[in-house]
Amino acid sequence: NAGVTQTPKFQVLKTGQSMTLQCAQDMNHEYMSWYRQDPGMGLRLIHYSVGAGITDQGEVPNGYNVSRSTTEDFPLRLLSAAPSQTSVYFCASRTFSGNTIYFGEGSWLTVV
Amino acid sequence: DQQVKQNSPSLSVQEGRISILNCDYTNSMFDYFLWYKKYPAEGPTFLISISSIKDKNEDGRFTVFLNKSAKHLSLHIVPSQPGDSAVYFCAARRPMIKAAGNKLTFGGGTRVLVKP
Protein backbone atom coordinates (compact mmCIF):
# COMPACT_ATOMS: atom_id res chain seq x y z
CA ASN A 1 0.00 0.00 0.00
CA ALA A 2 2.62 2.56 -1.15
CA GLY A 3 0.35 5.51 -2.04
CA VAL A 4 2.46 8.49 -3.15
CA THR A 5 6.21 7.94 -3.13
CA GLN A 6 8.75 10.74 -3.45
CA THR A 7 12.51 10.57 -3.87
CA PRO A 8 14.93 11.78 -2.71
CA LYS A 9 13.88 12.71 0.80
CA PHE A 10 16.81 15.08 1.31
CA GLN A 11 19.01 16.87 -1.22
CA VAL A 12 21.57 19.64 -1.12
CA LEU A 13 22.29 21.43 -4.39
CA LYS A 14 24.67 24.14 -5.43
CA THR A 15 23.28 27.21 -7.16
CA GLY A 16 22.95 26.54 -10.86
CA GLN A 17 22.78 22.76 -10.58
CA SER A 18 19.86 20.84 -11.98
CA MET A 19 17.98 17.94 -10.48
CA THR A 20 14.76 16.00 -10.68
CA LEU A 21 12.43 15.15 -7.83
CA GLN A 22 10.68 11.89 -8.55
CA CYS A 23 7.06 11.16 -7.71
CA ALA A 24 5.10 7.99 -8.28
CA GLN A 25 1.61 6.90 -7.21
CA ASP A 26 0.07 3.45 -7.41
CA MET A 27 -3.58 4.44 -6.93
CA ASN A 28 -4.33 5.06 -10.61
CA HIS A 29 -5.12 8.69 -9.84
CA GLU A 30 -5.60 10.99 -12.78
CA TYR A 31 -4.66 14.19 -10.97
CA MET A 32 -1.13 14.77 -9.70
CA SER A 33 0.47 17.93 -8.41
CA TRP A 34 3.55 19.41 -6.82
CA TYR A 35 3.47 21.82 -3.88
CA ARG A 36 6.17 23.63 -2.00
CA GLN A 37 5.88 24.47 1.67
CA ASP A 38 7.59 27.51 3.09
CA PRO A 39 7.23 28.91 6.63
CA GLY A 40 4.00 30.90 7.02
CA MET A 41 3.12 30.41 3.36
CA GLY A 42 1.26 27.13 3.58
CA LEU A 43 1.37 24.84 0.58
CA ARG A 44 1.65 26.56 -2.78
CA LEU A 45 0.91 24.79 -6.03
CA ILE A 46 3.82 24.63 -8.48
CA HIS A 47 2.51 22.49 -11.34
CA TYR A 48 -0.27 20.00 -11.80
CA SER A 49 -1.45 17.39 -14.26
CA VAL A 50 -4.97 16.13 -14.94
CA GLY A 51 -3.75 13.10 -16.87
CA ALA A 52 -0.91 11.61 -18.90
CA GLY A 53 0.37 14.11 -21.43
CA ILE A 54 -1.39 17.07 -19.80
CA THR A 55 0.32 19.53 -17.47
CA ASP A 56 -0.35 23.08 -16.37
CA GLN A 57 1.10 25.78 -14.15
CA GLY A 58 0.07 26.48 -10.60
CA GLU A 59 0.74 29.54 -8.43
CA VAL A 60 4.56 29.42 -8.40
CA PRO A 61 5.76 27.64 -11.58
CA ASN A 62 8.88 29.69 -12.37
CA GLY A 63 12.10 27.70 -12.28
CA TYR A 64 10.35 24.33 -12.47
CA ASN A 65 9.42 21.97 -15.27
CA VAL A 66 7.19 18.91 -15.22
CA SER A 67 6.11 16.17 -17.57
CA ARG A 68 3.54 13.37 -17.32
CA SER A 69 4.37 10.54 -19.65
CA THR A 70 2.52 7.92 -17.59
CA THR A 71 -0.38 7.96 -15.15
CA GLU A 72 1.90 6.83 -12.33
CA ASP A 73 4.83 9.26 -12.57
CA PHE A 74 5.08 13.02 -12.28
CA PRO A 75 8.69 14.24 -11.97
CA LEU A 76 9.56 17.82 -11.05
CA ARG A 77 12.68 19.29 -12.61
CA LEU A 78 14.74 22.20 -11.35
CA LEU A 79 16.72 23.38 -14.36
CA SER A 80 19.07 25.81 -12.60
CA ALA A 81 18.64 25.75 -8.85
CA ALA A 82 18.48 29.00 -6.91
CA PRO A 83 18.60 29.61 -3.13
CA SER A 84 14.95 30.77 -3.34
CA GLN A 85 14.05 27.19 -4.22
CA THR A 86 15.16 25.95 -0.82
CA SER A 87 11.94 24.45 0.46
CA VAL A 88 10.05 21.30 1.27
CA TYR A 89 8.38 19.80 -1.77
CA PHE A 90 5.29 17.61 -1.67
CA CYS A 91 3.88 15.56 -4.46
CA ALA A 92 0.17 14.77 -4.28
CA SER A 93 -2.47 12.86 -6.17
CA ARG A 94 -6.21 12.21 -6.23
CA THR A 95 -8.90 10.95 -8.54
CA PHE A 96 -10.04 13.61 -10.97
CA SER A 97 -13.37 14.26 -9.25
CA GLY A 98 -12.23 13.33 -5.75
CA ASN A 99 -12.11 15.80 -2.90
CA THR A 100 -9.24 14.32 -0.93
CA ILE A 101 -5.63 14.84 -1.96
CA TYR A 102 -3.07 12.26 -0.87
CA PHE A 103 0.41 13.59 -0.20
CA GLY A 104 3.83 12.03 -0.34
CA GLU A 105 6.17 12.31 2.61
CA GLY A 106 8.05 15.30 1.25
CA SER A 107 11.46 16.13 -0.19
CA TRP A 108 13.68 18.57 1.70
CA LEU A 109 15.75 20.59 -0.74
CA THR A 110 18.50 23.02 0.20
CA VAL A 111 20.18 25.18 -2.43
CA VAL A 112 23.46 26.76 -1.33
CA ASP B 1 -3.14 37.84 -2.42
CA GLN B 2 -3.79 35.07 0.10
CA GLN B 3 -7.27 33.79 -0.52
CA VAL B 4 -7.14 31.46 2.47
CA LYS B 5 -5.71 32.74 5.75
CA GLN B 6 -4.99 31.17 9.09
CA ASN B 7 -4.25 34.15 11.27
CA SER B 8 -2.97 32.23 14.27
CA PRO B 9 0.41 30.67 13.51
CA SER B 10 0.41 28.72 16.75
CA LEU B 11 -1.88 27.50 19.51
CA SER B 12 -1.09 25.92 22.85
CA VAL B 13 -3.75 24.01 24.77
CA GLN B 14 -3.91 21.74 27.79
CA GLU B 15 -4.68 18.05 27.27
CA GLY B 16 -8.41 17.40 27.60
CA ARG B 17 -9.42 20.96 26.67
CA ILE B 18 -10.83 22.19 23.39
CA SER B 19 -8.60 23.35 20.52
CA ILE B 20 -10.18 25.83 18.14
CA LEU B 21 -8.43 26.58 14.86
CA ASN B 22 -9.70 29.34 12.61
CA CYS B 23 -9.53 29.93 8.90
CA ASP B 24 -10.80 32.83 6.80
CA TYR B 25 -11.23 32.99 3.06
CA THR B 26 -11.94 35.73 0.57
CA ASN B 27 -13.12 33.90 -2.56
CA SER B 28 -16.88 33.34 -2.43
CA MET B 29 -16.54 30.79 -5.23
CA PHE B 30 -14.99 28.23 -2.90
CA ASP B 31 -17.45 25.36 -2.46
CA TYR B 32 -15.53 22.76 -0.50
CA PHE B 33 -13.19 23.05 2.46
CA LEU B 34 -10.74 20.62 3.96
CA TRP B 35 -8.47 20.38 6.96
CA TYR B 36 -5.14 18.61 6.78
CA LYS B 37 -2.87 17.61 9.62
CA LYS B 38 0.89 17.47 9.28
CA TYR B 39 3.46 15.93 11.58
CA PRO B 40 7.15 16.88 11.25
CA ALA B 41 8.97 15.10 8.43
CA GLU B 42 5.73 13.69 7.05
CA GLY B 43 3.32 14.69 4.33
CA PRO B 44 -0.03 16.29 5.19
CA THR B 45 -2.87 13.85 5.81
CA PHE B 46 -6.55 14.51 5.31
CA LEU B 47 -8.49 15.13 8.51
CA ILE B 48 -12.01 16.36 7.81
CA SER B 49 -13.91 18.31 5.20
CA ILE B 50 -17.13 20.22 4.69
CA SER B 51 -19.19 21.19 1.68
CA SER B 52 -20.46 24.73 1.35
CA ILE B 53 -24.04 23.46 1.52
CA LYS B 54 -23.49 22.46 5.14
CA ASP B 55 -22.57 24.44 8.22
CA LYS B 56 -21.20 21.61 10.35
CA ASN B 57 -19.48 18.29 9.93
CA GLU B 58 -18.41 16.04 12.75
CA ASP B 59 -16.03 13.09 12.86
CA GLY B 60 -15.23 11.77 16.29
CA ARG B 61 -13.31 14.41 18.24
CA PHE B 62 -13.11 16.70 15.21
CA THR B 63 -15.83 19.11 14.12
CA VAL B 64 -15.62 21.66 11.36
CA PHE B 65 -17.96 24.66 11.29
CA LEU B 66 -18.58 26.80 8.25
CA ASN B 67 -20.01 30.32 8.30
CA LYS B 68 -20.44 31.26 4.67
CA SER B 69 -21.68 34.76 5.30
CA ALA B 70 -18.54 35.51 7.30
CA LYS B 71 -16.32 33.44 4.97
CA HIS B 72 -14.99 31.71 8.03
CA LEU B 73 -14.46 28.14 9.07
CA SER B 74 -13.15 26.62 12.23
CA LEU B 75 -11.93 23.25 13.41
CA HIS B 76 -12.74 22.12 16.94
CA ILE B 77 -10.83 19.29 18.57
CA VAL B 78 -12.48 17.99 21.73
CA PRO B 79 -10.89 16.71 23.86
CA SER B 80 -7.37 17.60 22.73
CA GLN B 81 -4.74 14.92 23.08
CA PRO B 82 -0.93 15.12 22.98
CA GLY B 83 -0.99 13.18 19.69
CA ASP B 84 -2.92 16.07 18.16
CA SER B 85 0.23 18.21 18.34
CA ALA B 86 0.91 19.00 14.69
CA VAL B 87 0.51 21.70 12.06
CA TYR B 88 -3.02 22.05 10.71
CA PHE B 89 -3.75 23.47 7.27
CA CYS B 90 -7.12 24.53 6.01
CA ALA B 91 -7.71 24.34 2.28
CA ALA B 92 -10.45 25.50 -0.06
CA ARG B 93 -11.59 24.39 -3.49
CA ARG B 94 -13.48 26.11 -6.26
CA PRO B 95 -16.12 24.23 -8.24
CA MET B 96 -14.50 21.78 -10.60
CA ILE B 97 -13.67 23.06 -14.04
CA LYS B 98 -12.59 20.19 -16.25
CA ALA B 99 -9.28 21.60 -17.42
CA ALA B 100 -8.32 23.06 -14.07
CA GLY B 101 -9.08 19.96 -12.06
CA ASN B 102 -10.33 21.83 -8.99
CA LYS B 103 -7.08 22.90 -7.39
CA LEU B 104 -6.83 23.46 -3.66
CA THR B 105 -5.74 26.72 -2.07
CA PHE B 106 -4.09 26.30 1.32
CA GLY B 107 -3.79 28.54 4.33
CA GLY B 108 -0.46 29.14 6.04
CA GLY B 109 -1.01 26.59 8.78
CA THR B 110 -1.45 26.67 12.56
CA ARG B 111 0.94 24.79 14.81
CA VAL B 112 -0.90 23.16 17.70
CA LEU B 113 0.84 22.05 20.86
CA VAL B 114 -1.16 19.98 23.30
CA LYS B 115 0.46 19.93 26.73
CA PRO B 116 0.04 16.83 28.91
Side-chain angles (χ1 to χ4, degrees):
Chain A
N1 194 8
V4 180
T5 304
Q6 290 180 233
T7 56
K9 195 165 180 77
F10 299 98
Q11 182 73 49
V12 178
L13 282 179
K14 292 183 179 178
T15 298
Q17 283 185 317
S18 63
M19 78 156 298
T20 299
L21 298 176
Q22 302 291 344
C23 176
Q25 53 91 9
D26 61 0
M27 297 174 282
N28 203 31
H29 286 170
E30 299 94 339
Y31 186 95
M32 295 185 74
S33 51
W34 277 101
Y35 290 85
R36 58 177 289 173
Q37 183 197 359
D38 301 291
M41 301 293 288
L43 292 149
R44 293 183 293 169
L45 182 65
I46 304 171
H47 284 285
Y48 67 96
S49 168
V50 298
I54 306 169
T55 64
D56 205 346
Q57 298 181 348
E59 294 176 69
V60 288
N62 293 339
Y64 308 95
N65 274 0
V66 292
S67 59
R68 184 95 180 269
S69 56
T70 66
T71 300
E72 294 78 21
D73 300 300
F74 190 45
L76 178 72
R77 296 183 191 85
L78 284 73
L79 300 177
S80 178
S84 61
Q85 293 178 304
T86 294
S87 187
V88 184
Y89 292 85
F90 291 98
C91 180
S93 76
R94 60 167 168 79
T95 59
F96 185 74
S97 57
N99 292 319
T100 304
I101 282 184
Y102 298 88
F103 286 89
E105 293 192 339
S107 296
W108 274 254
L109 177 66
T110 301
V111 182
V112 297
Chain B
D1 176 28
Q2 272 193 297
Q3 297 188 56
V4 179
K5 283 188 180 179
Q6 294 175 253
N7 290 318
S8 297
S10 63
L11 172 69
S12 182
V13 65
Q14 205 67 35
E15 180 179 6
R17 307 292 285 267
I18 183 171
S19 295
I20 300 177
L21 291 77
N22 294 303
C23 181
D24 296 295
Y25 62 95
T26 57
N27 191 337
S28 58
M29 294 296 292
F30 289 140
D31 70 341
Y32 199 83
F33 303 89
L34 305 92
W35 284 92
Y36 279 81
K37 178 178 180 178
K38 184 184 176 306
Y39 291 117
E42 294 184 11
T45 55
F46 171 74
L47 187 58
I48 192 170
S49 62
I50 188 167
S51 165
S52 61
I53 63 173
K54 295 185 175 181
D55 55 17
K56 177 182 175 181
N57 188 28
E58 192 171 353
D59 183 3
R61 296 185 297 113
F62 302 91
T63 303
V64 56
F65 296 92
L66 175 62
N67 183 334
K68 282 184 64 178
S69 60
K71 295 191 179 68
H72 176 85
L73 65 153
S74 61
L75 174 69
H76 291 206
I77 307 173
V78 184
S80 301
Q81 299 174 354
D84 297 329
S85 297
V87 177
Y88 292 79
F89 293 98
C90 69
R93 186 201 76 181
R94 282 171 292 177
M96 188 171 70
I97 301 170
K98 188 174 181 180
N102 64 329
K103 296 170 283 187
L104 290 181
T105 301
F106 284 85
T110 297
R111 183 178 302 277
V112 173
L113 175 63
V114 180
K115 299 177 184 176

